[in-house]
Amino acid sequence: MIRFEHIVKRLAGRNVLDDLSFEIHPGEIFVIVGPSGTGKSVTLKHMVQLLRPTSGTVWVGKESISTAEGQALERLRGRFGYLFQGGALLGWLTVAQNVALPLQQKTSLDEAEIARRVQEALEMVDLWHAAEQYPAEISGGMQKRAGLARAIVQRPEIVLYDEPTSGLDPVTARTIDRLIQHLNRDLGVTSVVVTHDMQGALTIGHRVAMLHGGRFVEVAAPAAFAASRCPEVQQFLEAQHITRENFFRK
Amino acid sequence: MITREPFEYPDSAGYFQRLYLATQEGLAEVGRAVLLGVRALRELPDLRRPKARAEFLRQLYICGIESLPVITVVALFTGMILAFQTGIELRRYNQEVYIGSAVMVSMLREMAPFITGLILGACVGSAMAAQLGTMKVNDEIAALEIMSINPVRFLVTPRLAAMMVMTPILSFYTCMLGSLGGAVIGMTQLNVPWEQYMSAGLEFARPKDLFVGLFKALVYGIIITTVSCNEGLTTTQGAVGVGEATRRAVIISFLLVLVVGYFVTRFFY
Ligand SMILES: Nc1ncnc2c1ncn2[C@@H]1O[C@H](COP(=O)(O)OP(=O)(O)OP(=O)(O)O)[C@@H](O)[C@H]1O
Ligand SMILES: [Mg+2]
């Protein structure tokens, strides 16, 4: 569904992505892990042309999104929901207004229907009680959940999650993991999740990929990933106290 | 589109090639700013939508009402200084009755739009650049793009429209208050009664002065908004970048207000 073809991305004088190729299948939860600053967010941004590759092509279905423009780009982007790392809510709108924004601006739904959908999305992320508050008045974790509500309110086919659970308490983090699984299973949402949280990655991912040095050093199903011989992966797992044994015991 | 990356020189570039590339990039930036202004102007009809109008009203309030206190003080004192200085000179020839015309004409033609331009550039332009710059580095602009909400229509057009309405009004207001300040100095310091002050002023001030002054203010409004929004939307590199964008927005606005003001004057007089 999303295919990277020999993507090179040069930023600030170095190749952040260096000949990266992979494919994400429809209906899959694809998890990308990796140390800070390796280009996970940059990878996600290529999927919706917030960045353009220095060379190579990003395909969405049969269309190249990295070269799309105008109407075609708008239509392709319309298939995506995007949760930004910092939430990216508009400061002068309340949480509810932020979530309603894409519906108000881009659809012809009436007010009542919009209100209903907004409530539904906010209840999914357990934030209905804060609907009338402004982003500056709520915590970082709540902002992130509000950003998530906005990403899914249009019911997109594909949702890109940039660190959906970082900065959340463990209980809320698991709730968000379950929400991602629910959207995937029950609504068939193809999901790309960037995270540092290995526990979550191995639980929800259908495939997990490790980004290092501009490429995936490992792409595998969770069980195989946890058993990987690749030194970067082992280091990453050990740092979060996940060993082969305790992963399989679960 | 609007999301851009910092400009980079190829590693191999020599001195002259860098100079050439820097010039090219500078011109391209000017081109992009002009294009942004044109795009924002073309989207003006969008303000007929009720949802867009709410944002427009909010911007009217921000650039009109919130800069009113500063403008009031500056206008009043500029008129007073103008009256005082010309009054001292005119008194040497016993002509101080003419301070009315000196104050009003210079206010109408130059000072009022100029002051309005500088103050709005400093108060409103800087705020626009800082706000849009912060939105840029927080990925909020990117979020709008993903939702296919055109950032120019959504953010720049309401600001532009508000400034186009407010700069002429504030310029007129500045003119009135400046003249009032002049009259106060005339009455209290120079023994020029109100009637004489006004009649001298109205004798020399022509409608053309008023209209050219208002037109100039309108042009300043467009320039300040375009420059500030462009700086904001092209911010890179976090909080430092926001500071830099704000600084550049104010400096470029000031310079353009001066330079363009001269050419508009040249054109009409
Ligand atoms: N707009 C940009 N301009 C210049 N350099 C950039 C830009 N965006 C990202 N980079 C660089 O690309 C690299 C990867 O950044 P990215 O944000 O993708 O990291 P990340 O893997 O998401 O890290 P984190 O886990 O901290 O979010 C960083 O070294 C960063 O300096
Ligand atoms: Mg990131």
Side-chain angles (χ1 to χ4, degrees):
Chain A
M1 175 156 249
I2 304 171
R3 192 154 55 87
F4 274 48
E5 210 174 69
H6 302 293
I7 298 297
V8 176
K9 179 62 185 177
R10 202 171 169 74
L11 275 170
R14 71 186 180 95
N15 287 350
V16 174
L17 301 182
D18 195 2
D19 196 18
L20 177 66
S21 298
F22 65 96
E23 179 163 6
I24 294 167
H25 310 302
E28 156 174 71
I29 299 182
F30 188 83
V31 182
I32 303 174
V33 298
S36 204
T38 41
K40 302 184 298 296
S41 299
V42 168
T43 307
L44 277 194
K45 285 183 177 171
H46 276 83
M47 296 180 187
V48 283
Q49 210 207 76
L50 285 175
L51 289 171
R52 281 202 181 121
T54 310
S55 69
T57 314
V58 181
W59 300 90
V60 174
K62 294 207 167 0
E63 292 170 273
S64 152
I65 194 166
S66 49
T67 54
E69 276 174 35
Q71 295 274 316
L73 178 61
E74 206 163 294
R75 188 169 40 73
L76 282 173
R77 279 177 173 169
R79 296 169 63 180
F80 285 87
Y82 197 128
L83 168 62
F84 285 88
Q85 200 166 342
L89 302 172
L90 305 180
W92 67 93
L93 300 178
T94 63
V95 167
Q97 287 168 338
N98 263 292
V99 177
L101 189 69
L103 297 178
Q104 277 173 348
Q105 296 281 333
K106 298 311 281 190
T107 66
S108 50
L109 300 177
D110 60 32
E111 287 298 322
E113 175 65 12
I114 291 179
R116 206 185 58 71
R117 287 239 213 146
V118 168
Q119 178 168 3
E120 181 189 77
L122 283 174
E123 277 170 352
M124 273 191 188
V125 297
D126 190 21
L127 211 58
W128 177 238
H129 59 95
E132 295 310 317
Q133 282 176 293
Y134 286 90
E137 300 167 353
I138 60 179
S139 74
M142 291 163 87
Q143 288 178 18
K144 188 162 276 182
R145 283 186 280 150
L148 179 53
R150 183 179 64 183
I152 60 179
V153 73
Q154 278 183 295
R155 300 176 183 167
E157 271 176 74
I158 312 165
V159 179
L160 312 180
Y161 304 88
D162 199 343
E163 306 201 358
T165 56
S166 69
L168 301 185
D169 64 274
V171 178
T172 316
R174 295 291 86 85
T175 316
I176 297 295
D177 282 345
R178 275 197 297 277
L179 175 63
I180 295 173
Q181 283 179 311
H182 158 72
L183 291 172
N184 171 263
R185 239 180 249 146
D186 304 338
L187 306 173
V189 174
T190 305
S191 312
V192 186
V193 184
V194 163
T195 185
H196 291 291
D197 173 13
M198 283 311 306
Q199 194 71 56
L202 296 173
T203 318
I204 65 171
H206 297 154
R207 283 192 298 157
V208 183
M210 169 101 190
L211 186 66
H212 194 274
R215 290 185 207 187
F216 288 150
V217 290
E218 179 72 89
V219 184
F225 190 88
S228 170
R229 299 244 163 268
C230 174
E232 285 87 9
V233 176
Q234 287 182 343
Q235 205 184 358
F236 212 75
L237 291 171
E238 274 163 28
Q240 300 195 27
H241 310 291
I242 298 172
T243 58
R244 225 192 127 138
E245 292 71 44
N246 71 19
F247 176 70
F248 284 114
R249 214 175 320 124
K250 265 201 312 137
Chain B
M1 206 33 237
I2 280 176
T3 307
R4 279 200 296 125
E5 296 147 37
F7 176 66
E8 259 180 60
Y9 298 106
D11 296 332
S12 61
Y15 180 75
F16 283 107
Q17 200 188 352
R18 274 167 191 260
L19 192 69
Y20 171 74
L21 288 174
T23 315
Q24 200 181 28
E25 177 61 16
L27 289 178
E29 188 61 51
V30 174
R32 279 191 287 260
V34 172
L35 204 62
L36 178 70
V38 171
R39 279 205 194 125
L41 283 171
R42 270 216 312 248
E43 299 282 353
L44 281 179
D46 178 62
L47 292 174
R48 283 195 302 250
R49 281 187 315 131
K51 275 169 208 149
R53 221 174 299 149
E55 177 64 9
F56 170 58
L57 291 178
R58 211 172 65 86
Q59 291 301 328
L60 272 184
Y61 180 83
I62 290 173
C63 69
I65 310 303
E66 288 187 353
S67 49
L68 211 51
V70 187
I71 289 222
T72 304
V73 175
V74 175
L76 213 54
F77 275 85
T78 308
M80 285 161 63
I81 292 169
L82 219 54
F84 201 70
Q85 286 285 12
T86 48
I88 292 171
E89 287 305 310
L90 289 172
R91 184 147 58 180
R92 293 209 299 206
Y93 310 101
N94 284 326
Q95 299 287 321
E96 59 263 45
V97 288
Y98 285 113
I99 57 162
S101 50
V103 172
M104 276 200 202
V105 171
S106 56
M107 269 290 170
L108 272 179
R109 285 191 185 176
E110 291 297 335
M111 293 307 281
F114 183 68
I115 291 171
T116 312
L118 291 195
I119 290 182
L120 288 187
C123 298
V124 182
S126 61
M128 281 181 192
Q131 197 198 354
L132 297 195
T134 309
M135 291 183 69
K136 179 70 200 296
V137 300
N138 285 345
D139 282 333
E140 290 168 45
I141 306 284
L144 290 177
E145 286 202 55
I146 303 292
M147 296 187 274
S148 290
I149 296 172
N150 179 349
V152 176
R153 180 189 300 168
F154 188 70
L155 297 170
V156 184
T157 300
R159 286 170 171 74
L160 183 67
M163 281 287 264
M164 287 171 71
V165 171
M166 272 306 168
T167 39
I169 293 177
L170 287 177
S171 174
F172 187 70
Y173 174 78
T174 305
C175 197
M176 293 295 108
L177 273 185
S179 306
L180 189 69
V184 170
I185 291 297
M187 288 188 290
T188 57
Q189 314 274 316
L190 299 163
N191 287 324
V192 181
W194 172 259
E195 294 78 20
Q196 267 185 9
Y197 179 89
M198 288 309 285
S199 66
L202 294 176
E203 190 180 330
F204 283 90
R206 289 169 304 154
K208 181 185 171 187
D209 297 333
L210 176 67
F211 291 130
V212 173
L214 295 185
F215 174 72
K216 222 184 263 179
L218 177 76
V219 173
Y220 292 163
I222 296 175
I223 289 175
I224 292 166
T225 317
T226 307
V227 167
S228 306
C229 289
N230 186 56
E231 287 301 326
L233 290 174
T234 54
T235 304
T236 52
Q237 290 161 1
V240 180
V242 175
E244 178 67 8
T246 311
R247 193 178 69 88
R248 283 167 53 99
V250 174
I251 291 176
I252 298 175
S253 299
F254 274 26
L255 293 182
L256 283 179
V257 162
L258 266 169
V259 174
V260 173
Y262 169 76
F263 283 106
V264 174
T265 309
R266 262 302 292 276
F267 184 79
F268 282 103
Y269 291 97

